[in-house]
Amino acid sequence: RRHLRSGTRLCAARWAAGHWELELNRNGENTIESADVVVSAVGLFGAPRLPDIDGLVDFGGALMHTAHWDAGVELAGRNVAVIGTGASGVQVVPELVGYAASLTVFQRTPPWMVPKDDRHYSATELRRFRRDPLASRRERWKLWKFQHDNTATMADDPVVASRSQFATSFLERTVADPELRRALTPHYPFRCKRVLLGDDYYQALQRDHVRLITDPIERITATSVRTTAGDEVPVDAIVLATGFETSDYLAGIEVVGVGGRSLHHRWGGDPSAYLGTAVNGFPNFFMLYGPNTNQGGNSIVYVLEAGARLVASAVRRIARRGGYLDVRADAEKKYNTRLSEDLERTVWTRCDSYFRSPSGRIVTQWPYTELDYARRTWRLRRRDWAHHPSAMPKSMTPRINSPATRSS
């Protein structure tokens, strides 16, 4: 606990005279503290995305985004609308269906779905795991390998076609009504958008008091949602399952590097970084889950641990030798040029999704395997980094202010 600063928000980080000055806010009071190294772990899904729908602010009932859930709002026995059918919508709909009087789901684009294939481990299996640690390791490895073998990102990879057939078969055997099945059939390539786990969601949509509407929303009134087809749905509460501003990395945090350069200004809404962890001109500043590190199919935890290992290697060097590290501009440019070329060959270029920045460039996804990321981040490549000495003694351990994340 001595390493934690709860209820504290990082407002800004500014590079000055060989260290970072952090502007922190706690209980409405701003303070300035210094750090030798800053590690941003704010993640990819930070700033909620609100839909641009006429009349949204005039709605008279309960209105909430899934990222800002209001547990004080009573939804039992009420008419609830869910706007959005991405990952947030697919997770929230099965939870609401059990106690809402009616549930109306407004869909713009259907997601590709696969079964979760989840089950309880038997008492015999659990005893074996407790008795033999290798047994649980083997089980974890089997799960990891299955995901690894079925992860495909390139548009011409035959795995994409085979998994598409698997998802289509899953929809056909799970949803009996032909009209509903047509509404839930995607018309873009498999894996172009995020693939979701659909067992509970498909079942929820087939309940008698649940309705799926695919017509665009025209406007929201004080008491209803009106579609372009003229359908007016009375609702008591609206849940916005409209996702996040995924290209807005480090949203709400001002980061100013060497020469007073703003990181957000440099990115201009089109973020990039060397291995998703560092940007030239922002020394001793590292990111986890930064640009282009979102895994295409396997565990994101594996990728985050690999990135953390690279950051730890950098911090050890700073602690040992003093000074500060800055990724070289040519190394960063070469890395991102090759990355962009390879991303153009992926299935993600075949549709619009939250993977893209406003410019259309894919800024969230890692187009290779999780093993490739682990290999590239295994240790610092000395030629890709510039080490600058400073007056800081070599024996001094860098002061790392860990709350470089916004409090939630």
Side-chain angles (χ1 to χ4, degrees), residues 8-63:
T8 303
R9 179 177 182 269
L10 175 64
C11 303
R14 299 180 179 89
W15 180 255
H19 69 276
W20 286 96
E21 290 186 351
L22 307 180
E23 181 183 331
L24 307 175
N25 182 281
R26 186 175 189 184
N27 299 325
E29 186 174 321
N30 282 13
T31 59
I32 302 294
E33 296 190 17
S34 66
D36 299 311
V37 177
V38 175
V39 181
S40 164
V42 297
L44 176 63
F45 305 103
R49 175 179 292 171
L50 300 178
D52 184 16
I53 301 176
D54 288 342
L56 185 64
V57 296
D58 300 323
F59 182 64
L63 177 67

Side-chain angles (χ1 to χ4, degrees), residues 83-406:
I83 299 177
T85 55
S88 302
V90 166
Q91 292 173 68
V92 76
V93 165
E95 300 300 323
L96 291 173
V97 75
Y99 51 87
S102 71
L103 186 62
T104 306
V105 180
F106 291 88
Q107 170 187 282
R108 184 173 62 179
T109 307
W112 280 104
M113 313 282 275
V114 295
K116 189 176 183 181
D117 286 338
D118 204 5
R119 68 175 180 84
H120 291 287
Y121 286 105
S122 68
T124 301
E125 288 174 308
L126 293 176
R127 283 195 298 269
R128 186 173 77 251
F129 293 155
R130 283 192 293 267
R131 187 173 61 251
D132 180 9
L134 287 178
S136 60
R137 284 177 176 267
R138 283 193 296 268
E139 184 71 11
R140 289 177 66 91
W141 183 83
K142 283 166 53 180
L143 294 170
W144 181 89
K145 188 175 186 304
F146 175 83
Q147 296 297 335
H148 175 81
D149 291 344
N150 286 283
T151 296
T153 59
M154 297 303 162
D156 57 355
D157 193 321
V159 173
V160 173
S162 65
R163 297 300 289 174
S164 173
Q165 294 170 3
F166 177 73
T168 301
S169 174
F170 170 58
L171 172 61
E172 290 174 348
R173 69 174 183 269
T174 308
V175 178
D177 180 49
E179 185 175 343
L180 178 60
R181 197 163 58 236
R182 279 194 296 271
L184 292 171
T185 300
H187 298 288
Y188 55 88
F190 182 81
R191 208 181 283 282
C192 186
K193 298 175 185 280
R194 181 176 176 181
V195 179
L196 305 175
L197 304 176
D199 310 62
D200 294 340
Y201 180 70
Y202 280 164
Q203 295 297 336
L205 290 180
Q206 296 177 82
R207 298 280 293 273
D208 291 339
H209 64 301
V210 179
R211 182 183 178 195
L212 178 71
I213 295 181
T214 59
D215 296 318
I217 296 174
E218 180 182 71
R219 69 172 294 106
I220 292 175
T221 72
T223 59
S224 66
V225 179
R226 185 184 305 158
T227 72
T228 55
D231 194 2
E232 188 150 351
V233 182
V235 293
D236 304 311
I238 296 176
V239 175
L240 302 176
T242 47
F244 300 85
E245 300 289 353
T246 50
S247 66
D248 193 8
Y249 284 87
L250 299 169
I253 302 175
E254 182 184 9
V255 181
V256 180
V258 175
R261 290 186 298 173
S262 164
L263 182 57
H264 288 291
H265 185 265
R266 173 178 166 170
W267 279 342
D270 205 17
S272 63
Y274 172 81
L275 289 169
T277 60
V279 178
N280 173 259
F282 298 84
N284 285 11
F285 182 85
F286 305 99
M287 291 175 284
L288 299 177
Y289 216 168
N292 292 111
T293 59
N294 196 39
Q295 230 296 299
N298 210 340
S299 172
I300 188 59
V301 177
Y302 187 90
V303 171
L304 295 175
E305 289 174 340
R309 184 170 54 242
L310 181 71
V311 172
S313 298
V315 173
R316 278 196 297 269
R317 180 180 294 189
I318 295 166
R320 187 172 61 249
R321 299 175 59 184
Y324 55 89
L325 279 176
D326 195 6
V327 65
R328 295 184 183 276
D330 58 341
E332 182 186 351
K333 181 179 179 180
K334 180 180 178 181
Y335 165 80
N336 281 293
T337 298
R338 175 64 184 276
L339 182 75
S340 296
E341 291 172 353
D342 289 345
L343 281 166
E344 284 302 310
R345 298 189 293 112
T346 65
V347 70
W348 301 316
T349 62
R350 306 300 176 88
C351 66
D352 291 325
S353 69
Y354 74 68
F355 302 154
R356 296 178 181 269
S357 70
S359 74
R361 194 173 70 85
I362 297 170
V363 297
T364 63
Q365 300 305 97
W366 173 254
Y368 319 110
T369 72
E370 72 291 340
L371 287 177
D372 288 321
Y373 190 78
R375 281 192 288 264
R376 296 192 192 193
T377 56
W378 189 256
R379 56 188 173 88
L380 290 176
R381 300 180 63 179
R382 291 177 181 270
R383 65 177 179 271
D384 290 349
W385 297 84
H387 184 268
H388 301 271
S390 73
M392 187 174 69
K394 291 184 179 181
S395 61
M396 180 176 181
T397 301
R399 303 180 304 278
I400 303 174
N401 283 3
S402 57
T405 60
R406 289 159 294 162

